[in-house]
């Protein structure tokens, strides 16, 4: 490695092995960077594997995110030069001095690891399994490996933990989806365009073989995406276009199930950390993973703020170290006395009140049906008058308001809506939003994981996917089977249940909560952000506008809501009684 930039062993007490080879079962050699204490010994391992290029510095690939994080939380820079900081992975300078080894692996076909780029497959889960076993048997390892990372580096934790690698001791799943169909590819059956942009921006740009055309590792001077330059045709042949695949697959099946985990097989201790403002990718999976995992020792934490800040700030780092200290080092640090659920209950103005609970949903929840009243456009605890209301999907939505109260009201948990609808065409995509307004009528938004101004919560459903999985559904959390398409008869009403992703909000006295029902993504006036990777109008990159998935002749007809004494039409909210 003489051609690497000088990196003396032991700088800042960290010895670094660049591009350590990990040969997996089919002979492919994956490449890993290993950051370990200079002092010889047996140390626990923090590992992550993904497709974003282990050599791409966060400030080089995502300069605006880097700057905003350090402005919001200067503590992130304390005790670290930041020279080894990468996208969504632990900072080695915050972990190695505490007696951990940090291992970063480029997944197959990404960065400096050759192969076919195809994310979240069974093969990639097996690769991760073998990387865990490799790390657990190195001379610098104490035989205990923990997985830590955000989003992609969290989602594949569910998959590999279900395979039960012997050296895997604990996982910290930070804002990571668990159900590829429902939480990543198709919300309520509607194609989400997130992956189209993400693979073009973040995966294909560091695909193995981009070589000199890709970014350079500022620490080694080597190309992030391999030492070879492959032409564009070869690169395309060496990868799967995940967005094209999901467009071609409107119903759930083997393709999506391969990329989801059998959560019941997970046995290791786990901490699942989700984001209230992560609507579209970073909320539901953390709750569902926590509930369904077979682990006896499992904890759920729910926070707000951006995608990065809660992971890297002192509070997040402290949670991670206390958790891994227990299960990788055997520390007696109080973690085992911690209640299973910690919620940062959300208030307007980015104020959060930490509170521990014994379960999710909260046992004392008062599930409250707020009926949609067409005559007043209000949400009431008793049904309203008979009638109908219609809207044009691409031009308007209907708004129903919960009248203000003279006291604060908390709603924390999953939510749902039951509606009777008809469409002038053969299908309809339903977009639901929960919004908050102050006494002056101004909408109150919140910092989300991928957008600076998000509403309280969102829900989606394609009407032709209305069939429920009755074995898994609860009144407060309808689960749709998504295994068949049942088109509408134009003008003929049908009943639909719509899941609204988990949320938390304390509605202050005098404030108004509103339910929006329409045929397009929630949108506000938007926010201009330096070097933004996508428009930020309230849903971040999680948009649903592809005409190939939503042709106007099928989804463009007027939608009608039906009301009456024999019609059940309500919003079900998780009211938490005041102490």
């Amino acid at each position: 490695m003489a051609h690497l930039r000088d990196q003396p062993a032991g700088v800042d007490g960290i010895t670094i092995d660049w591009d350590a080879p990990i040969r997996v079962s089919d002979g492919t050699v994956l490449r890993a960077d290993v950051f370990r204490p200079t002092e010889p010994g047996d140390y626990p391992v923090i590992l992550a594997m993904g497709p974003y290029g282990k050599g791409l510095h966060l400030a080089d690939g995502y300069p605006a995110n880097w700057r905003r994080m350090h402005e919001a939380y200067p503590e992130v820079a304390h005790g670290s030069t930041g020279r080894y900081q990468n996208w969504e992975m632990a900072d080695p300078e915050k972990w190695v001095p505490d007696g951990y080894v940090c291992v970063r692996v480029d997944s197959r076909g990404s960065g400096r690891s050759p192969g076919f780029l195809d994310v979240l497959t069974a093969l990639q889960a097996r690769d991760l399994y073998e990387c865990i076993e490799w790390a657990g048997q190195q001379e610098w390892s104490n035989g205990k490996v923990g997985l830590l990372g955000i989003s992609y580096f969290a989602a594949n934790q569910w998959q590999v933990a279900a395979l039960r690698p012997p050296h895997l001791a604990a996982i910290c799943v930070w804002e990571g989806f668990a159900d590829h169909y429902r939480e990543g590819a198709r919300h309520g059956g509607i194609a989400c365009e997130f992956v189209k942009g993400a693979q073009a921006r973040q995966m294909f740009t560091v695909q193995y073989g981009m070589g000199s055309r890709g970014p350079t590792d500022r620490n080694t001077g080597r190309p992030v995406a391999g030492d070879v330059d492959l032409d564009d045709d070869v690169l395309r042949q060496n990868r799967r276009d995940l967005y094209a695949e999901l467009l071609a697959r409107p119903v759930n099946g083997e393709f999506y199930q391969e990329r989801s985990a059998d959560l019941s097989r997970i046995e290791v201790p786990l901490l699942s950390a989700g984001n209230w403002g992560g609507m579209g990718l970073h909320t539901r999976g953390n709750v569902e993973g926590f509930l369904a995992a077979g682990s006896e020792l499992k904890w759920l934490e729910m926070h707000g703020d951006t995608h990065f800040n809660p992971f890297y700030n002192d509070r997040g780092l402290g949670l991670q170290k206390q958790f891994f200290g227990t299960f990788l080092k055997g520390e007696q640090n109080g973690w085992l006395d911690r209640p299973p659920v910690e919620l940062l209950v959300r208030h307007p103005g980015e104020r959060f009140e930490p509170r521990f609970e014994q379960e999710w949903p909260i046992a004392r929840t008062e599930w409250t049906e707020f009926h949609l009243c067409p005559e007043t456009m209000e949400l009431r605890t008793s049904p309203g008058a008979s009638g109908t209301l219609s809207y044009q999907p691409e031009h308007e939505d209907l708004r129903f308001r919960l009248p203000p109260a003279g006291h604060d009201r908390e709603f924390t948990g999953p939510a749902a809506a039951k509606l009777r609808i008809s469409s002038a065409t053969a299908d309809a995509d339903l977009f639901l939003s929960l919004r908050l307004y102050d006494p002056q009528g101004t909408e109150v938004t919140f910092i989300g994981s991928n957008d600076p101004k998000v509403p309280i919560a969102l829900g989606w459903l394609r009407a032709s996917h209305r069939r429920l999985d009755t074995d898994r559904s609860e009144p407060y959390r309808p689960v749709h089977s998504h295994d068949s398409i049942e088109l509408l008869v134009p003008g003929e009403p049908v009943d639909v249940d719509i899941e609204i992703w988990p949320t938390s909000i304390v509605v202050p006295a005098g404030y108004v909560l509103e339910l929006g029902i329409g045929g397009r993504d929630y949108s506000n006036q938007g926010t201009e952000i330096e070097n933004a990777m996508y428009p930020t109008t309230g849903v971040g990159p999680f948009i649903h506008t592809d005409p190939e998935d939503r042709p106007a002749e099928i989804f463009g007809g007027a939608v009608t809501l039906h009301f009456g004494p024999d019609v059940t039409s309500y919003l079900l909210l998780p009211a938490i009684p005041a102490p």
Side-chain angles (χ1 to χ4, degrees):
M1 295 188 179
H3 59 289
L4 299 182
R5 291 180 179 172
D6 289 340
Q7 179 61 63
V11 62
D12 301 322
I14 300 175
T15 294
I16 305 170
D17 305 319
W18 303 110
D19 278 348
I22 305 175
R23 185 176 296 275
V24 294
S25 295
D26 68 353
T28 299
V29 176
L30 307 180
R31 295 292 177 176
D33 291 342
V34 180
F35 302 80
R36 52 191 173 87
T38 300
E39 185 70 24
D42 299 336
Y43 300 100
V45 180
I46 299 295
L47 187 145
M49 184 185 81
Y52 300 140
K54 63 180 175 57
L56 180 60
H57 194 279
L58 203 159
D60 294 337
Y62 313 92
N65 299 76
W66 174 264
R67 179 183 56 77
R68 289 195 297 270
M69 179 174 68
H70 283 80
E71 289 176 351
Y73 289 92
E75 66 203 56
V76 172
H78 296 167
S80 174
T81 66
R83 65 188 299 177
Y84 308 124
Q85 186 56 70
N86 288 55
W87 177 263
E88 299 185 333
M89 289 189 281
D91 181 353
E93 290 184 271
K94 294 291 184 84
W95 287 86
V96 176
D98 277 0
Y100 291 89
V101 174
C102 289
V103 177
R104 297 170 168 172
V105 187
D106 278 334
S107 57
R108 183 183 294 252
S110 303
R112 299 185 63 80
S113 294
F116 186 79
L117 173 56
D118 191 4
V119 298
L120 295 171
T121 60
L123 176 60
Q124 191 177 96
R126 188 68 197 182
D127 285 346
L128 181 51
Y129 179 111
E130 296 189 31
C131 290
I132 292 167
E133 292 306 290
W134 174 86
Q137 299 176 68
Q138 298 302 300
E139 61 181 3
W140 34 256
S141 172
N142 73 351
K144 293 185 177 182
V145 178
L147 300 181
L148 176 64
I150 313 175
S151 192
Y152 191 97
F153 301 101
N156 60 10
Q157 294 183 41
W158 297 122
Q159 291 176 286
V160 76
L163 300 180
R164 301 176 181 173
H167 288 90
L168 181 62
I171 60 174
C172 181
V173 187
W174 202 279
E175 299 190 20
F177 63 93
D179 185 319
H180 188 71
Y181 184 92
R182 295 176 176 85
E183 296 156 13
R186 287 185 165 271
H187 298 134
I190 310 167
C192 176
E193 295 173 57
F194 163 71
V195 72
K196 178 171 65 173
Q199 64 183 9
R201 291 188 304 265
Q202 298 175 266
M203 299 180 197
F204 296 167
T205 53
V206 292
Q207 181 182 354
Y208 178 82
M210 283 293 290
S212 63
R213 292 174 293 166
T216 299
D217 186 329
R218 61 164 62 179
N219 289 303
T220 68
R222 281 183 164 181
V224 168
D227 294 326
V228 299
D229 284 45
L230 303 177
D231 64 39
D232 289 342
D233 287 340
V234 174
L235 288 172
R236 280 191 290 270
Q237 292 168 10
N238 284 349
R239 69 191 183 213
R240 184 188 294 271
D241 184 338
L242 196 59
Y243 185 66
E245 297 283 2
L246 76 87
L247 280 180
R249 292 175 168 83
V251 297
N252 203 353
E254 182 179 347
F255 175 83
Y256 298 107
Q257 292 165 11
E258 178 188 356
R259 290 162 173 78
S260 304
D262 181 353
L263 297 165
S264 66
R265 285 187 47 80
I266 297 176
E267 295 181 333
V268 294
L270 70 89
L271 169 60
S272 178
N275 192 320
W276 301 124
M279 295 164 287
L281 197 64
H282 301 121
T283 304
R284 185 185 190 273
N286 284 101
V287 172
E288 293 297 310
F290 166 76
L291 291 172
S295 306
E296 292 185 9
L297 299 173
K298 57 182 180 179
W299 289 264
L300 174 67
E301 186 270 356
M302 296 295 293
H303 53 261
D305 209 321
T306 71
H307 196 41
F308 287 102
N309 296 347
F311 182 82
Y312 290 110
N313 67 20
D314 285 351
R315 177 185 176 274
L317 184 64
L319 278 177
Q320 297 155 24
K321 286 190 174 182
Q322 188 183 7
F323 172 73
F324 283 122
T326 299
F327 297 108
L328 301 188
K329 290 184 171 183
E331 294 175 351
Q332 303 298 313
N333 56 28
W335 182 271
L336 292 176
D337 298 324
R338 179 185 177 90
V341 176
E342 183 181 16
L343 308 175
L344 299 192
V345 178
R346 186 168 55 179
H347 296 249
E350 305 304 324
R351 184 168 69 87
F352 296 91
E353 174 190 358
R355 188 174 72 212
F356 287 103
E357 301 287 351
Q358 294 299 321
E359 68 288 303
W360 178 275
I362 300 169
R364 65 183 181 280
T365 302
E366 297 175 351
W367 300 103
T368 307
E369 295 179 1
F370 292 101
H371 295 265
L372 281 60
C373 300
E375 71 277 20
T376 61
M377 301 303 290
E378 290 181 333
L379 297 168
R380 296 285 187 179
T381 53
S382 57
S386 299
T388 60
L389 293 171
S390 298
Y391 63 86
Q392 296 295 329
E394 290 304 311
H395 302 293
E396 59 189 332
D397 54 11
L398 300 175
R399 310 282 186 89
F400 296 86
R401 295 197 157 197
L402 182 63
H407 56 86
D408 292 357
R409 291 176 290 186
E410 179 187 339
F411 301 104
T412 296
K418 183 178 282 291
L419 306 174
R420 181 167 292 178
I421 66 108
S422 62
S423 174
T425 46
D427 211 341
D429 285 342
L430 304 171
F431 293 77
L432 272 58
S433 61
L434 293 181
R435 316 180 193 192
L436 185 66
Y437 292 84
D438 67 18
Q440 288 72 46
T442 301
E443 184 177 3
V444 178
T445 57
F446 304 87
I447 296 175
S449 63
N450 297 89
D451 195 293
K453 293 182 179 179
V454 302
I456 297 171
L458 297 173
W460 310 263
L461 181 66
R462 177 158 288 178
S464 60
H465 288 235
R466 62 191 177 276
R467 178 183 294 178
L468 291 174
D469 182 336
T470 55
D471 292 336
R472 298 175 60 191
S473 291
E474 299 286 351
Y476 55 77
R477 191 207 59 187
V479 179
H480 299 87
S481 60
H482 295 298
D483 58 3
S484 62
I485 296 174
E486 301 175 2
L487 294 174
L488 304 176
V489 176
E492 183 175 307
V494 296
D495 293 326
V496 295
D497 297 88
I498 304 169
E499 176 186 14
I500 298 173
W501 280 19
T503 191
S504 176
I505 184 62
V506 174
V507 180
Y511 281 59
V512 170
L513 184 147
E514 180 183 272
L515 170 67
I517 304 172
R520 56 184 176 172
D521 288 305
Y522 164 90
S523 180
N524 54 41
Q525 293 181 344
T527 308
E528 290 190 12
I529 299 178
E530 176 192 0
N531 300 127
M533 293 185 286
Y534 43 78
T536 49
T537 56
V539 295
F542 308 108
I543 59 174
H544 311 77
T545 61
D546 194 317
E548 184 177 343
D549 182 64
R550 306 182 62 205
E553 62 271 20
I554 298 176
F555 296 93
V559 175
T560 300
L561 273 61
H562 299 259
F563 308 89
D566 62 337
V567 176
T568 302
S569 181
Y570 61 79
L571 170 68
L572 182 66
L573 288 180
I576 306 300

